[in-house]
Amino acid sequence: MELASKILEGNILAASRLMRGIEDEAPDAVDDLKTIYPHTGRAYIVGVTGVSGAGKSTLIDSLIGVLRKKNMTVGVIAIDPTSPFTGGAILGDRVRMQSCGLDNDVFIRSLAQRGWVGGLSKATISTIHVMDAMGKDIILVETVGAGQAEINITKVADTSIVILTPGAGDEIQMMKAGILEAADIFVINKADEKGADNLKTQLEVMLEMRVFPPDGWKPGIVLTEAIFGKGAEELTEAILRHKQFLTSSGELEKRREERVKLELVEAIESSVKNFIFNSIDKGYLEKLIDNLAHRKIDPHSAALEIVSQFGKQPKPFGQQV
Ligand SMILES: Nc1nc2c(ncn2[C@@H]2O[C@H](COP(=O)(O)OP(=O)(O)OP(=O)(O)O)[C@@H](O)[C@H]2O)c(=O)[nH]1
Ligand SMILES: [Mg+2]
């Protein structure tokens, strides 16, 4: 438990160790995660999604600068990054400091998505928990907006930012349905390039066609030039305004309930699977597999046959509390 208490003190080396354990699915990691869990739920989670090369990392670099000026501590999780964080002037120093374990204010971690089976992967949520427990005020999660993970990141984030770039007619098409709908803030990055205004109009038209409840949140559009640090302050203000809206409308609590529900579903899936495979009669399992191989039964029916043996409780079930 020593590792967990070091993490709660914000120790970067301890946090890195647990994050590695999470990725390797080390059994110890589960215990440490249990210990830190009561200390999580304070960080504000921001998803940053856009196609490869849209400028997500560059924009995050400049956001970090603005957030640090506001004395906020920052965590960054880059999922499947295809380009490394080059680091602006500020970040460059911070990353160097971080590698010496000296800087507690900014913590950056990359996660490989390859090999994940469905869902957003426990690894992302658990890594968020570690940064949260370290006391990071805001956690930025960078994902490339083309896969299944991005749909889920919008469920995990408090604020979802979608980045587009000029000449992005194609980008809009490439974005999976559901990502655009889930955006709380649109960013048009590379506004120094031709076509930014055009794209803004296109987005505005798209938003006009959607119906928002009168007291609901209507996504805004922020123009940025991330390489020049332009627009990062406006974007920070937009994030904080959205946070304020979510807090005062009670929407934040609802989103967070959705998030823990998602975690519960993932946890149930893995514990039920473990439970069944640990307790099932091996001879019965072998026979079932043999029947599957000889096409005497199909996998869905086989699964139902197994699960039905564990579903003998009255419905609905649950302990009285
Ligand atoms: N002209 C211009 N180029 C930019 C701007 N922002 C970022 N870039 C450039 O766009 C390229 C991609 O930027 P990244 O920040 O790596 O993009 P990304 O979205 O993180 O890319 P992946 O991690 O590969 O998905 C880099 O060469 C940046 O210098 C901008 O505002 N204007
Ligand atoms: Mg990147």
Side-chain angles (χ1 to χ4, degrees), residues 10-28:
N11 185 300
I12 283 176
L13 293 179
S16 305
R17 250 181 58 204
L18 178 53
M19 288 175 187
R20 214 171 311 125
I22 290 166
E23 278 201 273
D24 297 346
E25 297 188 45
D28 288 1

Side-chain angles (χ1 to χ4, degrees), residues 48-61 78-86 142-145 163 165-166 188-193 224-230:
V48 181
T49 302
V51 296
S52 187
K56 300 178 293 292
S57 303
T58 316
L59 190 67
I60 286 174
D61 277 0
I79 299 175
D80 248 355
T82 49
S83 59
F85 278 84
T86 48
E142 173 183 334
T143 53
V144 181
I163 305 188
T165 52
I188 299 177
N189 187 41
K190 308 197 184 179
D192 51 305
E193 290 180 359
T224 60
E225 296 173 26
I227 30 167
F228 308 116
K230 276 195 198 167

Side-chain angles (χ1 to χ4, degrees), residues 20-303:
R20 214 171 311 125
I22 290 166
E23 278 201 273
D24 297 346
E25 297 188 45
D28 288 1
V30 177
D31 290 329
D32 288 315
L33 280 168
K34 270 190 212 165
T35 312
I36 63 166
Y37 191 75
H39 304 276
T40 62
R42 288 175 296 193
Y44 195 76
I45 320 291
V46 178
V48 181
T49 302
V51 296
S52 187
K56 300 178 293 292
S57 303
T58 316
L59 190 67
I60 286 174
D61 277 0
S62 49
L63 280 179
I64 290 171
V66 178
L67 292 166
R68 288 300 306 132
K69 271 193 219 144
K70 291 184 180 292
N71 269 328
M72 292 173 85
T73 55
V74 187
V76 178
I77 301 171
I79 299 175
D80 248 355
T82 49
S83 59
F85 278 84
T86 48
I90 304 168
L91 190 62
D93 284 332
R94 292 206 177 279
V95 170
R96 274 195 293 279
M97 279 195 279
Q98 190 173 308
S99 58
C100 311
L102 294 175
D103 183 27
N104 273 321
D105 302 327
V106 180
F107 189 98
I108 298 171
R109 181 88 192 175
S110 299
L111 275 181
Q113 188 189 349
R114 279 167 287 275
W116 291 1
V117 185
L120 176 64
S121 125
K122 280 185 298 191
T124 305
I125 298 185
S126 300
T127 306
I128 289 175
H129 286 327
V130 178
M131 291 195 179
D132 192 347
M134 287 172 84
K136 295 288 167 273
D137 295 315
I138 189 156
I139 299 169
L140 306 163
V141 185
E142 173 183 334
T143 53
V144 181
Q148 187 58 42
E150 292 66 40
I151 308 260
N152 287 326
I153 194 63
T154 58
K155 291 183 194 151
V156 169
D158 297 315
T159 296
S160 290
I161 298 175
V162 169
I163 305 188
L164 300 166
T165 52
D170 297 345
E171 281 182 21
I172 293 184
Q173 309 253 314
M174 275 171 71
M175 291 262 167
K176 277 216 170 172
I179 296 177
L180 291 174
E181 282 74 12
D184 300 303
I185 300 167
F186 285 101
V187 165
I188 299 177
N189 187 41
K190 308 197 184 179
D192 51 305
E193 290 180 359
K194 222 174 71 197
D197 289 335
N198 203 354
L199 176 59
K200 185 162 181 256
T201 312
Q202 247 181 293
L203 268 179
E204 281 166 347
V205 170
M206 192 190 81
L207 288 172
E208 281 307 317
M209 291 193 305
R210 286 209 341 234
V211 184
F212 296 96
D215 53 354
W217 174 262
K218 188 166 178 262
I221 304 167
V222 181
L223 270 70
T224 60
E225 296 173 26
I227 30 167
F228 308 116
K230 276 195 198 167
E233 290 191 8
E234 288 83 342
L235 180 57
T236 305
E237 291 312 316
I239 295 169
L240 297 177
R241 252 199 324 278
H242 185 238
K243 182 182 181 200
Q244 178 58 37
F245 165 81
L246 291 180
T247 311
S248 57
S249 63
E251 188 68 26
L252 187 63
E253 217 172 294
K254 271 194 231 154
R255 283 192 183 202
R256 291 186 167 190
E257 276 170 13
E258 280 301 313
R259 188 194 307 165
V260 291
K261 189 171 154 196
L262 190 76
E263 278 186 84
L264 178 63
V265 169
E266 289 202 356
I268 288 175
E269 281 168 2
S270 66
S271 36
V272 165
K273 202 161 62 186
N274 288 341
F275 175 75
I276 286 181
F277 279 102
N278 289 336
S279 52
I280 198 164
D281 179 82
K282 298 290 172 276
Y284 167 73
L285 183 63
E286 271 169 30
K287 185 150 182 293
L288 208 55
I289 291 172
D290 192 59
N291 285 343
L292 275 168
H294 290 93
R295 301 297 186 267
K296 290 182 184 160
I297 192 170
D298 65 282
H300 186 73
S301 305

